[in-house]
Amino acid sequence: MCTNRPIKEDLERILNKAEIGCWVLDLSTNQVNLSHVIKNLQGLPPGYNPDLESSLTLFYDELHRNLLREAIETAVKEGTDFDLELKIRTAGPSRRWVRVTGEPVFEDGSCSRIIGSTQIIDKQKRVEHNLARSEKRFKSLVQNGTDLIAVLDEQLHFSYVSPSVKKILNLTSDSLLHQNAFERLHQDDRDAVKDSVNSIAPFSRLTLEPYRYKDGDGNWRWIQSTVTNLCRDPDVSGFVINSRDVTGEKNEKERLKLLESVITHTTEAVVIVEASPSTHPDRKILYVNDAYCEITGYKRDEVIGNTANLLHGPETDTEELQKLLNAMKAWRPAKVELINYRKNGEPFWMHVSVVPVTNEHGEYTHWISIERDVTERKKYQQELLASLKEKETLLAEVHHRVMNNLAVISGMLHLQATEQDNDELSLKLLDSVARIKTIATIHEQVYRNETLSAVNLAKSIRKLSSDLVAVLNPDSDIRFQYDCDDIHVNINQAVPFSLVVNEIITNAIKHAFEGRERGSIHCVLKRDGNMAELKIKDDGVGLSTGFEQSSGVSFQESVVEMDQERDTRQATGCGLGLQIVSALSKQLRGSFRLRSNGSGAAFCFEFPLER
C-alpha cells in the first residue's frame, strides 16, 4: 500500500526538475512560505520565510515589484487570479525570467491567503525573443527590401502588398489592395501567367517568365516573379508573390541580342582577345565571328585559344605589327593595314582596328578587333597609282613639248627682232619674246616639279625677275629683294599671274632707272586667308603727277617715257602692257592698283586662290 510521503517526494522531484516552486502568502501574518525550489534558486537559507515586502525585494527592479504588489492587492479585493512574467534575482549575478501565478483563497467571505507558483521560463523567453527578432527582421526585409512582396487570395486579388511597390511600380499598397492582380497585366501575357499560377501544386514554388505590368505612370515594366502556393496554409490562405523589376535587364538582353546578331552576320571579322597575355606570350583569342572564319578559312575551334600570329607570314609588315603592339601596351586604340595569310597560304591585305574594353570599374578586360579584307581596295589603289603615274609621265611630256615649242617660237621672234631696222617694232617683238619665255618658264617649272598640279609662285617670281634682267638689261645693276610666302597654285592661275609679274617688272626694268646705273625692285607675296596679295615696288623715277591706274578705271593707251625736266615717267601713247594686266586681272578675278609718290612706283595686286 502506497503512503503519502513517497507521492509527495515524487511530486517535489517533478516540480524541482521542471523548476517550478510553490509559495503561500498568509494574509493574517503577512508571511510568505517559500518552497525549497525557490529558496535554492535565489540562494536563500532553508528556514527563510520573509514577509510580503521582504519577498518583493527578491524581484529584479521596482517595476516588477509593483506589478506583483498590484496583482496581489487586486486578487485580495476582487478575488481574481493573476499570471505574470517577471524577472527575479538569483544566487549568482544573473537575472532570470519567471512565471508567477496566484490564486486567492477565501474563508468566511474574506481572503485568508494566496497560493501560487513560480516557474523558470528563460528558455521560453529566449524563444519568444528570437521569434520577435526574426519577425522584426522579416518585416524590415519586406517593408524596406527592393523586391515587391505581395499575397494574392485564391481569387487572385491582392490581400497584401509591400511598400516597395512604390519604388518598383510607382503605386501605393492601398491602391492595389482587393484589386485583381491581372487588371494591370499586359493582355498578351495574361493567359500564360494565369496558366502558370494555376499549375502550381500546394506548398510548391514556380518562377514565372518575365511579363509586362503597367506602372503608375502608364508605362509597361518587365516583372519577374516567384510564386509560392500557400493556399492550404491557414496563416496565409493565398499565393505569396516575390517580384522584381527586370526592365533594365530585359532591355539590355535585347540590346546584347541585337549586337550579337550584328556581330554574327556582319561581313567584317570581329575578334575578341584577352586584355593581357596570361599563360602565352601573346594575347589569346577568345571569340571570332563567322565572317572571320569565311575570310581566313580557319574553323572556329582552330582559332579559339590561339593568337593573331596564326595569320602572319613572311610578307607581314613587322613595323605595322610593332605599331599595333605599342598601342596595345599603352591601352590606346590603333589601326593598321598589313598582309596576312589564309589557311591555304594565300596572302591578303587586312585592315585591323583594335580598341580596349573596360568594365564598370574602369578595368581593362578585353580587346575587340574589327578586321576587314581590303585586298581588292589595295589592288585598285595600285592600279590607280600605276595609271596616275602613266598620266603624269604623259603630262610631263606634254609640258616638255610645249616648253620646247615655245622656245622655238621665242627664238624665231628674237631672231626677227634683231634683224629689224625699225627699233619700235624690234622692241615690241622683244616684249613678245619675254611674254613667251614667261609662259615657257611656268611649263618648265611644272615639268621639273614632283607634282604636276601645283606651281610655287614665289619660285616663279624669282626665276622671272632674273630672266627678265638678263634679257632686257644685262649690264644694269638692278637688285631684287624678295619677301614671298610659298603659295602653290595650279597652272590655270600660275600662267596669268606670271604674265602679270612679267609686265610689271618689264616696265620697271625698261623705264624706272633710265639715267641711273643702279636700282632696286622689292617683290612681296603674302597669303591672307584665301587671298593672294602681290606688291612690286621700285625706287625709280616714279610716275608723272596724277598718273595712278587701277582695275576699276578704264585704261588710257599709254607708254611710259622719261620727262627730262621733271625726271618722272609720263603716260603718253598706247600701253599694251596695262591692257594685258587688266585682262589678266579679270581672268584671275582680282584687282590691282598702280601708285607713285615721287620716289618710285608701286604695283599692288590681289586675287582669290582656287581650292
Side-chain angles (χ1 to χ4, degrees), residues 24 241 360 382 424 456 505 551 578:
V24 178
I241 316 292
E360 63 273 16
Q382 291 172 356
E424 182 179 354
N456 190 327
I505 293 180
S551 54
L578 286 177

Side-chain angles (χ1 to χ4, degrees), residues 52-307:
L52 177 58
E53 286 302 319
S54 297
S55 67
L56 290 177
T57 62
L58 299 176
F59 289 87
Y60 177 61
D61 55 21
E62 194 62 31
L63 173 64
H64 289 242
R65 296 170 198 151
N66 288 334
L67 287 173
L68 182 55
R69 184 183 291 113
E70 292 173 0
I72 292 173
E73 291 175 355
T74 302
V76 171
K77 291 179 182 179
E78 301 178 6
T80 56
D81 299 346
F82 60 83
D83 189 341
L84 303 174
E85 291 181 356
L86 305 171
K87 271 188 178 182
I88 62 170
R89 301 177 187 276
T90 63
S94 62
R95 314 301 189 251
R96 302 192 71 175
W97 280 96
V98 294
R99 179 184 179 187
V100 179
T101 63
E103 178 183 347
V105 178
F106 286 81
E107 293 179 356
D108 299 330
S110 63
C111 185
S112 61
R113 64 186 181 276
I114 296 177
I115 60 175
S117 66
T118 300
Q119 180 184 5
I120 301 299
I121 58 171
D122 282 339
K123 292 181 180 178
Q124 177 183 340
K125 294 299 289 186
R126 281 197 296 269
V127 170
E128 291 177 356
H129 174 73
N130 291 337
L131 181 61
R133 186 169 60 176
S134 177
E135 289 179 351
K136 185 177 180 180
R137 288 176 178 173
F138 178 75
K139 185 177 181 180
S140 176
L141 178 64
V142 171
Q143 298 289 338
N144 304 312
T146 56
D147 285 2
L148 168 60
I149 308 297
V151 179
L152 305 182
D153 59 24
E154 294 189 49
Q155 288 72 43
L156 303 179
H157 290 80
F158 287 108
S159 59
Y160 171 80
V161 182
S162 66
S164 55
V165 69
K166 182 66 176 177
K167 298 178 183 176
I168 296 176
L169 295 175
N170 196 26
L171 294 168
T172 62
S173 302
D174 293 340
S175 67
L176 292 177
L177 284 179
H178 311 303
Q179 277 194 14
N180 189 294
F182 285 77
E183 287 183 7
R184 288 182 170 271
L185 196 66
H186 196 284
Q187 183 69 36
D188 296 341
D189 300 331
R190 287 182 184 177
D191 291 342
V193 173
K194 185 174 290 186
D195 291 343
S196 297
V197 172
N198 291 332
S199 70
I200 304 173
F203 303 102
S204 297
R205 178 183 294 122
L206 177 66
T207 299
L208 306 180
E209 289 295 321
Y211 54 89
R212 287 158 289 183
Y213 209 80
K214 186 180 290 186
D215 65 14
D217 299 320
N219 300 316
W220 293 107
R221 309 295 298 176
W222 282 98
I223 304 296
Q224 187 172 49
S225 300
T226 299
V227 183
T228 305
N229 185 347
L230 297 179
C231 292
R232 294 186 184 179
D233 185 336
D235 294 328
V236 179
S237 300
F239 297 93
V240 177
I241 316 292
N242 188 337
S243 304
R244 63 189 185 95
D245 184 356
V246 294
T247 306
E249 298 174 20
K250 186 77 174 176
N251 293 339
E252 181 66 12
K253 187 175 180 180
E254 291 296 325
R255 188 181 71 87
L256 291 176
K257 186 177 180 180
L258 177 62
L259 289 176
E260 183 179 0
S261 176
V262 171
I263 291 173
T264 301
H265 297 97
T266 183
T267 57
E268 295 184 341
V270 179
V271 183
I272 300 177
V273 302
E274 56 188 352
S276 299
S278 51
T279 58
H280 198 277
D282 296 309
R283 295 169 177 82
K284 290 191 299 185
I285 296 174
L286 305 177
Y287 169 85
V288 294
N289 66 343
D290 293 342
Y292 179 93
C293 298
E294 293 176 6
I295 293 173
T296 64
Y298 285 97
K299 296 180 180 178
R300 187 173 279 105
D301 57 2
E302 294 176 313
V303 178
I304 304 300
N306 216 316
T307 69

Side-chain angles (χ1 to χ4, degrees), residues 511-512 514 540-547 559-572 596-600:
H511 306 291
E514 292 184 10
V541 296
L543 301 172
S544 61
T545 302
F547 182 71
V559 172
V560 179
E561 294 180 341
M562 176 65 68
D563 185 336
Q564 298 293 340
E565 295 180 358
R566 291 184 298 169
D567 196 28
T568 61
R569 283 177 278 170
Q570 291 186 359
T572 62
S596 177
N597 56 12
S599 60

Side-chain angles (χ1 to χ4, degrees), residues 352-365:
V352 180
S353 176
V354 297
V355 292
V357 178
T358 60
N359 59 19
E360 63 273 16
H361 305 297
E363 301 166 339
Y364 293 104
T365 59

